[in-house]
């Protein structure tokens, strides 16, 4: 079945450690996105990529890094520089130029 | 002030009730999406609107471009409709602006 997978579903990290969240899609979509969701707030864009080997900062990119070495994969690294990393992270993808984004199931990150 | 405002923030209804969730936006848009987020986080796209009205089963979405307002209606609500409903405006330049969501609980 085609879709977007994110792993793991839950992730615990000690303060000061970097952690990488996985996002894979087999929909042959060019564009991929990372959002974070905090209680009581809307989704906020962290990074997005319209094409392989290219990505752009979103509204809240500080403390995060991404790579897009393959069309299918867009991993997000939450670095120790991110002040409030505990959140729910959602990955999405779309056909380039399309208005519809398809979301993954999300990863809940908890920093202890 | 957020570019997209939703109301109400929380909503509890009895099974069978007609439900309305409202969304107002302040940016120029090319489309407006209604999303459903299930407990556990998965998000499903319900509707994409650029004008008028769309219906899918018991769900109806309307948009008034002049008033910058959209509504999501659920007829004959059911406990399985319990979820968070999110309004998302796709602005010029392909930038998405998301509302904070409406948490709906339908009681049997």
């Amino acid at each position: 079945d085609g879709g977007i997978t994110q792993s793991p579903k839950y992730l615990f990290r000690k303060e000061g450690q970097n952690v990488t969240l996985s996002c894979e899609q087999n929909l042959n979509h060019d564009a991929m996105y990372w959002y974070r969701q905090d209680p009581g707030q809307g989704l906020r864009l962290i990074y997005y990529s319209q094409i392989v080997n290219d990505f752009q900062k979103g509204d809240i990119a500080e403390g995060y890094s991404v790579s897009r070495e393959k069309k299918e994969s867009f991993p997000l690294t939450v670095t120790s520089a991110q002040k409030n990393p505990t959140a729910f992270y959602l990955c999405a993808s779309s056909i380039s130029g399309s208005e519809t984004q398809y979301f993954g199931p999300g990863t809940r990150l908890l920093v202890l | 002030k957020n570019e997209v405002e939703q109301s109400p923030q929380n909503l509890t209804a009895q099974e069978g009730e007609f439900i309305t969730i409202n969304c107002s936006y302040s940016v120029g848009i090319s489309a407006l999406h209604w999303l459903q987020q299930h407990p556990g986080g998965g998000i499903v796209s319900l509707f994409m609107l650029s004008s008028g009205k769309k219906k899918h089963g018991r769900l109806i979405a309307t948009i008034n471009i002049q008033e910058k307002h959209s509504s999501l209606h659920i007829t004959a609500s059911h406990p399985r409709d319990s979820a968070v409903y999110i309004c998302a405006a796709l602005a010029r330049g392909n930038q998405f602006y998301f509302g904070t969501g409406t948490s709906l609980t339908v009681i049997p």
Side-chain angles (χ1 to χ4, degrees):
Chain A
D1 285 352
I4 302 176
T5 56
Q6 288 185 243
S7 61
K9 190 172 181 179
Y10 297 96
L11 190 56
F12 300 93
R13 178 192 106 175
K14 285 187 177 179
E15 197 170 350
Q17 289 179 337
N18 290 358
V19 63
T20 297
L21 281 57
S22 165
C23 177
E24 305 277 331
Q25 53 95 4
N26 60 4
L27 300 167
N28 200 34
H29 286 172
D30 293 305
M32 296 186 75
Y33 311 81
W34 273 106
Y35 297 93
R36 100 173 242 166
Q37 185 181 43
D38 296 282
Q41 295 195 43
L43 294 171
R44 291 182 291 168
L45 182 64
I46 305 172
Y47 267 99
Y48 65 101
S49 168
Q50 301 282 16
I51 197 168
V52 174
N53 291 323
D54 187 47
F55 48 82
Q56 308 294 332
K57 290 182 179 181
D59 298 325
I60 53 165
E62 186 175 347
Y64 299 97
S65 66
V66 292
S67 63
R68 188 85 188 277
E69 296 176 5
K70 298 187 298 182
K71 189 176 187 178
E72 304 79 21
S73 179
F74 191 40
L76 173 75
T77 297
V78 185
T79 75
S80 56
Q82 168 51 235
K83 300 300 180 201
N84 296 296
T86 294
F88 185 62
Y89 291 87
L90 280 158
C91 177
S93 71
S94 70
I95 297 170
S96 203
S98 169
E99 297 167 343
T100 301
Q101 292 190 2
Y102 295 83
F103 288 85
T107 293
R108 196 167 295 277
L109 174 64
L110 178 62
V111 175
L112 307 171
Chain B
K1 191 180 187 303
N2 292 336
E3 291 82 1
V4 177
E5 297 279 354
Q6 277 185 244
S7 64
Q9 210 168 358
N10 296 287
L11 183 55
T12 300
Q14 292 289 334
E15 184 173 356
E17 282 186 12
F18 181 83
I19 289 163
T20 296
I21 300 170
N22 294 301
C23 174
S24 297
Y25 54 91
S26 58
V27 292
I29 68 165
S30 56
L32 186 125
H33 295 250
W34 281 100
L35 310 172
Q36 181 190 54
Q37 185 173 27
H38 298 287
I43 287 184
V44 172
S45 176
L46 298 173
F47 293 104
M48 184 185 72
L49 291 165
S50 52
S51 65
K53 175 180 171 178
K54 285 189 176 179
K55 184 175 189 293
H56 184 244
R58 294 181 294 106
L59 302 177
I60 303 166
T62 63
I63 188 167
N64 185 319
I65 299 294
Q66 286 74 28
E67 295 185 4
K68 294 191 172 181
H69 182 268
S70 176
S71 292
L72 176 69
H73 306 285
I74 304 175
T75 62
S77 58
H78 190 276
R80 65 174 174 266
D81 297 326
S82 298
V84 174
Y85 293 84
I86 301 169
C87 171
L90 179 63
R92 318 292 179 200
N94 257 11
Q95 172 75 40
F96 266 105
Y97 294 92
F98 293 87
T100 55
T102 295
S103 179
L104 171 65
T105 303
V106 181
I107 300 169

